[in-house]
Amino acid sequence: MTATIPPTKTIAARAVQASKIYGTGDTAVHALDAIDVEFPSAEYTAIMGPSGSGKSTLLHCVAGLDSLTSGHVYLGDIDLSTLSDKDLTRVRRDRVGFVFQTFNLIPTLTAIENITLPIALAGSKPDQAWLDRIVDTVRLRDRLSHRPSELSGGQQQRVAVARALVTRPEIIFADEPTGNLDSRASAEILGFMQRAVQEFGQTIVMVTHDPISASYANRVVFLADGRIVDELRDPSADAVLGKMRKLGGE
Amino acid sequence: MWKVTFKGLAGHKLRFLLTGLAVILGVSFISGTLVLTATIQKTFDDLFADINRGTDAAVRAHEVFSDFGGAQRPNIPASLLAIVRQTPTVEAEVGNIQAFAQVVDKHGKPIGGNGPPTFGLGWDPNPKLNPFHLVVGDPPRADDQIVLDKHTADTGNFHVGDEVTVLTSRAPRKYKLVGIARFGTVDSLAGASITLFTPREMQRVANVKNQFSQISVVAKPGVSQTQVASDIARTLAAHGKSQYEVITGKALTKETQNTVHKALGFITTALLVFAFVALIVGMFIIYNTFSIVVAQRMREMALLRAIGATQRQVLGSVIGESVVVGLLASAIGVAAGVGLSIGLKGLMNALGFGIPGNGVVLRPIAVIVGLLVGSIVTIVSATIPARQAARVPPIAAMRAVALERPINRVRRVGIGGAIVALGIALLLSGLFGGRGLLFVGVGALLALVGVFVLSPLFARALARVIGGPLTRFRGIVGSLSRENAARNPRRTATTGAAVMIAVSLVGFITIFAASANASIGSAIDQQLKTDYIVTVKGSGGNPGLSGISPELAKRIAALPEVQSSTPIRFGEVAVAGSHTFVLAADPKEIAQMYDFGAVTGSITDLTPNGIAVSTRKASSKHLKLGDLVPVKYVKTGVVPLRVQFIYKNNGLVGDYMISLANYERNFAQQLDFQIFAKLKPGVSAAQGRKAIEPVVARYPNAQLKDNAQYKADQKSQVNQVLILVYVLLFLAVIIAFIGIVNTMTLSIYERTREIGLLRAVGASRRQVRSMVRWEATIIALFGTVLGLLMALFFAWAVVRALHDQGFTKFSAAPIRLVIIVVVTALATLLWASLPARRAAKLDVLRAIDQD
Ligand SMILES: Nc1ncnc2c1ncn2[C@@H]1O[C@H](COP(=O)(O)OP(=O)(O)OP(=O)(O)O)[C@@H](O)[C@H]1O
Ligand SMILES: [Mg+2]
């Protein structure tokens, strides 16, 4: 099944017949099996599915961190499969933001240095007004000069979210960004991401296992065995849970 | 547990390869030295055994004193030959003498003189006693005929029938080459250049009348060597000549071999010292590698402990790794050492030191020492980290991060400070308390170790200071490098320590040489009032063994343009029982050309029965003007000389001076080491040169220099030694650099995720490479800065200690030190490309996914 969206919206990223196969012959694993999916701008998409269904693989491929075995991924108009490592790096730096589950920050850099890292790597100066706004949004003003080891897990993830926002990327990818946090800290992070979508028109794609997390999104895409099997708009936690049960396993 | 050991090794091939490399290089230097010297020794043992085969006994004078080249003895009268002949058990006897002689090639260039000796010998008519065998031609029968050794003939492209100019203590003379001979089984004796004259001509060449240095004897058939020796001794005693020494041919061979062993032992020790320096640097690398590996495997260790492994088992597994690495690397090192010795032998032959024969001599000792030293160094270096590993509490397995032990500041300051203090105390007592070189060496090593112990305390701060400018010029990549270099003070300190030791030695020798040059330069500028100096060509200014014919000095003195001139000669004597060098010059003449500074008396007071003494020796030997001091000469024995002049020693003229007349009376060989000359007022330098140059040109081993050229020449001699030491230290430097790459490789492995994250958020490969390279450079510079500070201190102390021996100037050689820093930085940037490329090639995804 193909996940579609209303035709009026612009598309931030999309995958076309995207396949990813690990290994060959008998041991070959179809992590992604000819997937077609679109992520519209200014939308918050959650990706769900059983463990091993290919969520991370999809995220990595669309984000330009990994390459497909066949098919195409587009970021805006750019076909990522045609880019060199150098160009892919630039795309990641300028047009994409990342939030990982753990180990999001460079331990030797302070919070503010971590936030502005992509800009520094590009050799440019941050837009101070925008930076202030992000820092205030994630409420880190009093922690800016701390190193990651001096921050709590929740604070570290907030720094990661701020870093993802700082370049005003076309799209932010988050792989289980709250997987290691308690419910209160999770709610905070998810709230920030939701605000980013609503207030700044940010596009976010987030992998999650948690129906409550998924309920923050505008849309949930369900994956199983490397294929998109279902989709839900404006989901509630209960509805997501129901779908997941149907997919089995959980 | 052995399984864990081997898994540990297999899992981290690169790091163990690099660690192993440090051991391999050090061990190969040690084994190579041992194999090479054993080979040279064997060659000479065989050669001398072969040469002396026909000699059953030898008669000679007793040893007066011995130097590095062997015993020094006076000549014996030729009349002894007739007495020896009266011994019934003697079948044949022949006397010979040796003296300086140097062949000039067809282009007017003297052959040899840059190491191996050049000398003349009489041709022994008795084939049993003559070590030379003619290859072509005939023996010299007339006094204007000579035979050359094959090596010299080949070098000069001489053929039988050619005219050959030979330099001796007389004016250069042309001889007819009548034959070419091999020495024993070889073309030349270790590169020595030997001219063979008729026995009568040889007496003239040696400037003696009816004298020999030795009489060689062949016994009648069936008479043993001991028998004939004691018979000769009895005959001599019967003629009242019991003051001469008679030894057997075997004893003579043994003695010659021992002389070679002694000289070789000196070289072996010098080379081994450098090998050990390299190994000590290597120890830091091994220690560091195992420390990092253990730190990275803390959790694995803790897990092992949690599932029931004892402390001893964990200790055993790490030590086990070090045993395997140590043995393997040492074995490879020994093999590489054999290869190295073959290469070095070839190199030495190419440089003119003829070491004949194929292959090398591999004694068990070279293998055993190599294996033992390599393994012990590895195991000892791994023990400390292993013990730390064993102490990991099982609970650490449960913790997310295996925390590094915090640095115990108080303890570290205490221990490190104590080691530094002890080291400096030893160093200073060695230098100023006269306790010798061993104290200096051990003291310096301790001081370095102490600084190493202290360095983690300031490694973070210093690394940040060094990396400071980077942040400005390299932006975020610069600060990442800087912080990475600062984040692990212990690791930076250990890696830096290896660099520190290597650089401290390089820096020390650099500053020391610069100070030597500055001191020589200032002495020449201030003391020397000559216009021209004639010196011996090549580095063979070997006082006593070679030199310029005194004829040249006479001709220069006779020139109308020259106001004053004197030959300068050197000789070995024992003054009041201590073996030393003495310089000879014409007192009236040298007074015009040399400023002796603060003095008692005047150099012009020096008579043929007097001696001039430096202030240093005058005070240490309690000598004052007018005292009689016993001076022992090889030729004439003990002669009491009166102290007639006390001068300040500045390195140019040494501690003792005698007049030329005294020298001529008491030394067998008369060869000039230098000639000083001063022009008449009104004669320009150019006119002077025009007058002197053609005279000097007739003596091909002499060359004319003005003061500036002379100064440059002296400096270039210092610089030659400097370069030799640089070459020998190169290995230690290489090992230190291996250490940097090793550390970087391990750190990158440890920071895989971090680098993956950087790449994910937009760091380009180039940026990652640059980050790694600059981190390596900061660590290298950390070691370099410490090393140079230590070098400054060491050199300053040594130069201070040698002040009275002419080291009047301390020069920190700032430009050269800056060059060392720049070269270190550039070399690290380049060399760190290896780990940098590895880091840049890390798969972003795998880096992120790693758990
Ligand atoms: N590097 C790899 N080599 C081989 N197979 C891989 C590799 N990475 C992922 N796979 C396989 O691809 C499939 C999809 O993996 P992926 O990590 O995308 O799953 P996921 O949906 O993110 O699971 P989880 O919820 O556990 O994170 C799995 O079967 C996995 O075993
Ligand atoms: Mg996943």
Side-chain angles (χ1 to χ4, degrees):
Chain A
M1 130 159 227
T2 309
T4 50
I5 41 102
T8 48
K9 284 211 159 186
T10 55
I11 305 300
R14 65 197 161 99
V16 181
Q17 288 294 301
S19 291
K20 177 81 183 175
I21 304 169
Y22 288 109
T24 50
D26 286 349
T27 56
V29 176
H30 288 255
L32 296 179
D33 196 356
I35 282 188
D36 287 310
V37 67
E38 292 180 330
F39 301 111
S41 293
E43 250 198 39
Y44 192 165
T45 309
I47 301 177
M48 295 198 75
S51 186
S53 57
K55 305 181 294 292
S56 297
T57 308
L58 176 62
L59 203 71
H60 293 155
C61 288
V62 180
L65 285 170
D66 202 356
S67 56
L68 291 171
T69 310
S70 66
H72 296 269
V73 272
Y74 297 90
L75 209 69
D77 299 330
I78 310 165
D79 184 347
L80 293 188
S81 54
T82 62
L83 296 186
S84 67
D85 179 83
K86 205 167 147 191
D87 292 329
L88 273 177
T89 302
R90 191 163 299 153
V91 165
R92 286 201 299 269
R93 189 182 72 198
D94 301 335
R95 310 172 77 147
V96 174
F98 288 99
V99 183
F100 301 105
Q101 180 176 351
T102 55
F103 205 85
N104 259 303
L105 308 179
I106 302 296
T108 50
L109 299 181
T110 60
I112 185 69
E113 285 168 339
N114 265 294
I115 293 173
T116 55
L117 182 58
I119 296 173
L121 285 169
S124 36
K125 287 248 175 316
D127 170 349
Q128 197 55 46
W130 175 243
L131 188 59
D132 284 341
R133 198 165 157 200
I134 298 169
V135 167
D136 289 334
T137 306
V138 297
R139 298 208 319 274
L140 278 168
R141 176 79 42 207
D142 55 342
R143 289 280 182 275
L144 289 182
S145 60
H146 291 223
R147 299 203 183 226
S149 58
E150 299 158 339
L151 297 173
S152 73
Q155 286 166 340
Q156 287 181 28
Q157 289 306 82
R158 269 145 62 187
V159 173
V161 170
R163 183 194 57 213
L165 286 167
V166 80
T167 54
R168 297 189 226 233
E170 282 151 43
I171 191 162
I172 291 176
F173 296 101
D175 196 347
E176 303 185 46
T178 59
N180 271 13
L181 301 181
D182 67 17
S183 53
R184 230 189 91 211
S186 294
E188 224 174 18
I189 297 286
L190 293 162
F192 293 140
M193 303 219 298
Q194 198 175 41
R195 273 181 66 196
V197 175
Q198 287 162 0
E199 292 177 21
F200 316 141
Q202 185 64 58
T203 313
I204 297 181
V205 178
M206 172 181 77
V207 167
T208 182
H209 276 120
D210 173 27
I212 298 172
S213 302
S215 69
Y216 283 78
N218 303 118
R219 174 174 78 125
V220 184
V221 175
F222 293 93
L223 238 63
D225 296 328
R227 259 175 284 222
I228 291 178
V229 289
D230 208 345
E231 163 172 4
L232 204 62
R233 286 223 132 258
D234 300 318
S236 70
D238 284 340
V240 173
L241 201 58
K243 289 268 187 201
M244 288 294 285
R245 289 231 171 82
K246 225 174 72 192
L247 283 175
E250 310 257 325
Chain B
M1 287 309 283
W2 275 97
K3 221 165 154 186
V4 178
T5 298
F6 281 109
K7 279 233 166 111
L9 285 174
H12 313 285
K13 283 182 218 88
L14 185 74
R15 75 176 67 153
F16 283 107
L17 194 77
L18 290 168
T19 313
L21 204 54
V23 183
I24 290 170
L25 289 176
V27 169
S28 67
F29 198 156
I30 289 182
S31 297
T33 301
L34 292 176
V35 172
L36 182 69
T37 47
T39 304
I40 298 177
Q41 187 165 314
K42 173 92 173 25
T43 305
F44 283 106
D45 284 358
D46 292 352
L47 197 59
F48 287 120
D50 186 51
I51 289 160
N52 289 335
R53 188 167 298 144
T55 307
D56 290 320
V59 180
R60 62 191 188 186
H62 278 285
E63 163 181 336
V64 176
F65 39 69
S66 60
D67 62 1
F68 287 126
Q72 299 236 6
R73 336 172 167 265
N75 294 329
I76 54 176
S79 56
L80 284 184
L81 209 55
I83 300 172
V84 170
R85 195 175 299 142
Q86 290 170 28
T87 313
T89 45
V90 169
E91 174 166 298
E93 71 292 306
V94 78
N96 213 332
I97 192 160
Q98 175 183 333
F100 166 72
Q102 190 172 19
V103 173
V104 181
D105 74 11
K106 290 174 174 166
H107 310 286
K109 263 182 57 194
I111 293 175
N114 272 314
T118 66
F119 58 89
L121 279 175
W123 176 270
D124 280 346
N126 186 329
K128 267 195 156 171
L129 291 169
N130 190 344
F132 290 91
H133 312 293
L134 281 173
V135 187
V136 283
D138 300 308
R141 293 209 175 86
D143 291 351
D144 65 345
Q145 296 179 345
I146 55 162
V147 166
L148 287 178
D149 70 89
K150 185 158 187 318
H151 179 69
T152 305
D154 289 348
T155 310
N157 195 21
F158 288 121
H159 303 283
V160 170
D162 284 354
E163 264 201 341
V164 181
T165 305
V166 182
L167 307 172
T168 65
S169 60
R170 299 184 300 170
R173 192 174 290 241
K174 286 200 164 70
Y175 292 88
K176 194 166 170 215
L177 184 63
V178 293
I180 293 170
R182 277 160 67 95
F183 187 77
T185 51
V186 297
D187 286 354
S188 123
L189 170 65
S193 175
I194 302 171
T195 312
L196 296 149
F197 302 91
T198 59
R200 193 164 45 164
E201 178 67 3
M202 191 57 220
Q203 293 281 315
R204 287 186 209 123
V205 166
N207 193 28
V208 294
K209 271 202 185 74
N210 299 326
Q211 283 187 355
F212 297 132
S213 44
Q214 178 182 303
I215 293 173
S216 308
V217 172
V218 185
K220 287 240 164 75
V223 179
S224 75
Q225 291 196 349
T226 17
Q227 182 63 50
V228 73
S230 61
D231 289 351
I232 296 168
R234 219 170 305 119
T235 317
L236 286 174
H239 289 81
K241 303 283 183 195
S242 51
Q243 73 266 40
Y244 297 106
E245 185 180 77
V246 186
I247 61 163
T248 63
K250 281 209 184 74
L252 187 67
T253 302
K254 191 102 214 114
E255 193 186 278
T256 327
Q257 289 171 344
N258 282 342
T259 307
V260 174
H261 294 188
K262 224 164 110 187
L264 273 177
F266 187 68
I267 298 170
T268 312
T269 311
L271 287 176
L272 285 181
V273 164
F274 284 98
F276 276 104
V277 166
L279 264 183
I280 285 171
V281 173
M283 277 184 89
F284 284 87
I285 310 305
I286 301 160
Y287 166 76
N288 202 28
T289 306
F290 276 95
S291 298
I292 301 175
V293 170
V294 164
Q296 288 174 359
R297 283 173 41 200
M298 279 294 182
R299 249 199 285 171
E300 184 191 322
M301 305 279 175
L303 195 66
L304 284 172
R305 295 272 282 118
I307 60 173
T310 61
Q311 279 206 11
R312 175 184 296 223
Q313 281 172 315
V314 171
L315 187 74
S317 87
V318 177
I319 302 253
E321 284 190 16
S322 72
V323 172
V324 175
V325 172
L327 275 176
L328 249 165
S330 307
I332 299 173
V334 170
V338 175
L340 182 74
S341 66
I342 294 172
L344 281 177
K345 188 180 154 188
L347 183 72
M348 287 180 73
N349 279 338
L351 289 175
F353 294 85
I355 305 167
N358 296 318
V360 289
V361 178
L362 183 60
R363 297 242 167 85
I365 182 102
V367 178
I368 293 168
V369 168
L371 286 181
L372 265 184
V373 170
S375 308
I376 289 173
V377 159
T378 314
I379 295 163
V380 167
S381 315
T383 305
I384 302 170
R387 286 181 41 190
Q388 283 161 9
R391 271 192 255 121
V392 179
I395 190 79
M398 280 47 135
R399 285 196 212 123
V401 221
L403 279 175
E404 270 228 26
R405 290 162 302 119
I407 294 171
N408 184 336
R409 297 191 159 257
V410 179
R411 224 180 87 180
R412 212 166 254 278
V413 169
I415 295 175
I419 298 176
V420 171
L422 178 65
I424 290 179
L426 286 180
L427 178 80
L428 295 183
S429 84
L431 285 175
F432 298 98
R435 287 180 183 270
L437 229 53
L438 191 65
F439 270 65
V440 178
V442 172
L445 183 63
L446 279 181
L448 287 167
V449 169
V451 170
F452 158 65
V453 173
L454 291 173
S455 62
L457 295 171
F458 55 78
R460 179 166 285 156
L462 186 53
R464 287 213 173 110
V465 171
I466 293 170
L470 266 188
T471 328
R472 202 143 350 111
F473 297 123
R474 293 269 146 177
I476 186 74
V477 173
S479 15
L480 283 169
S481 310
R482 187 171 89 141
E483 289 311 311
N484 280 338
R487 79 199 279 182
N488 203 321
R490 264 205 206 93
R491 191 177 299 179
T492 300
T494 315
T495 313
V499 179
M500 167 178 76
I501 294 180
V503 168
S504 71
L505 294 174
V506 171
F508 166 76
I509 194 70
T510 306
I511 301 168
F512 184 71
S515 301
N517 276 334
S519 305
I520 292 170
S522 104
I524 290 175
D525 288 342
Q526 286 170 21
Q527 264 90 33
L528 218 49
K529 309 293 176 203
T530 52
D531 290 313
Y532 285 105
I533 294 173
V534 177
T535 61
V536 184
K537 259 184 203 159
S539 62
N542 221 342
L545 281 177
S546 69
I548 308 164
S549 162
E551 300 291 324
L552 176 57
K554 283 185 201 144
R555 284 167 188 263
I556 290 176
L559 288 173
E561 289 84 356
V562 172
Q563 165 154 323
S564 40
S565 86
T566 176
I568 305 288
R569 288 179 201 161
F570 264 106
E572 282 180 68
V573 293
V575 176
S578 42
H579 188 187
T580 180
F581 281 104
V582 66
L583 181 144
D586 183 322
K588 304 246 167 354
E589 299 290 318
I590 200 167
Q592 319 265 332
M593 290 177 284
Y594 196 82
D595 182 350
F596 283 91
V599 292
T600 327
S602 160
I603 183 70
T604 50
D605 297 341
L606 191 64
T607 67
N609 299 318
I611 186 167
V613 182
S614 73
T615 40
R616 187 169 71 103
K617 286 293 174 187
S619 77
S620 73
K621 293 207 178 281
H622 310 289
L623 294 173
K624 52 185 195 316
L625 234 48
D627 285 357
L628 272 181
V629 54
V631 178
K632 192 175 185 186
Y633 298 93
V634 173
K635 182 182 169 191
T636 51
V638 178
V639 178
L641 296 181
R642 203 166 289 286
V643 176
Q644 291 170 327
F645 176 51
I646 296 173
Y647 59 93
K648 213 167 157 203
N649 180 11
N650 48 35
L652 281 189
V653 293
D655 285 323
Y656 298 103
M657 277 182 68
I658 54 173
S659 71
L660 214 53
N662 183 310
Y663 190 95
E664 278 161 2
R665 201 189 287 163
N666 293 302
F667 284 90
Q669 192 156 227
Q670 302 295 325
L671 286 170
D672 292 346
F673 172 65
Q674 287 174 347
I675 303 165
F676 284 5
K678 192 182 173 74
L679 301 174
K680 285 216 173 95
V683 178
S684 75
Q687 284 169 327
R689 187 177 273 278
K690 227 174 123 192
I692 303 173
E693 202 135 58
V695 182
V696 171
R698 267 181 264 158
Y699 292 75
N701 67 336
Q703 56 190 343
L704 186 65
K705 293 193 176 109
D706 59 27
N707 283 12
Q709 287 168 328
Y710 179 66
K711 195 156 82 178
D713 194 47
Q714 297 294 302
K715 287 187 179 181
S716 92
Q717 280 181 29
V718 172
N719 290 339
Q720 268 175 28
V721 177
L722 181 66
I723 287 167
L724 180 71
V725 179
Y726 277 167
V727 169
L728 288 170
L729 283 175
F730 191 63
L731 187 68
V733 173
I734 291 279
I735 292 179
F737 271 89
I738 288 177
I740 295 173
V741 169
N742 209 355
T743 299
M744 292 313 299
T745 309
L746 293 167
S747 296
I748 288 162
Y749 172 80
E750 205 171 79
R751 297 178 201 147
T752 305
R753 295 183 63 165
E754 202 175 312
I755 293 164
L757 177 67
L758 275 171
R759 293 275 288 131
V761 301
S764 66
R765 287 209 162 120
R766 243 184 83 184
Q767 284 173 318
V768 170
R769 275 202 297 269
S770 162
M771 177 182 84
V772 172
R773 294 223 293 250
W774 283 111
E775 180 188 346
T777 306
I778 293 172
I779 296 176
L781 287 180
F782 171 82
T784 306
V785 166
L786 290 185
L788 289 183
L789 289 175
M790 296 305 279
L792 277 166
F793 169 69
F794 291 155
W796 173 83
V798 171
V799 168
R800 275 301 302 153
L802 294 176
H803 184 269
D804 286 346
Q805 288 168 50
F807 278 81
T808 50
K809 294 267 181 296
F810 175 77
S811 165
I815 294 174
R816 289 188 197 192
L817 297 195
V818 169
I819 291 175
I820 291 178
V821 171
V822 172
V823 168
T824 313
L826 290 179
T828 318
L829 276 175
L830 206 76
W831 175 226
S833 311
L834 286 167
R837 212 169 296 152
R838 230 173 127 81
K841 279 210 185 114
L842 277 180
D843 187 345
V844 182
L845 264 192
R846 273 194 42 207
I848 297 166
D849 281 349
Q850 221 186 39
D851 258 301

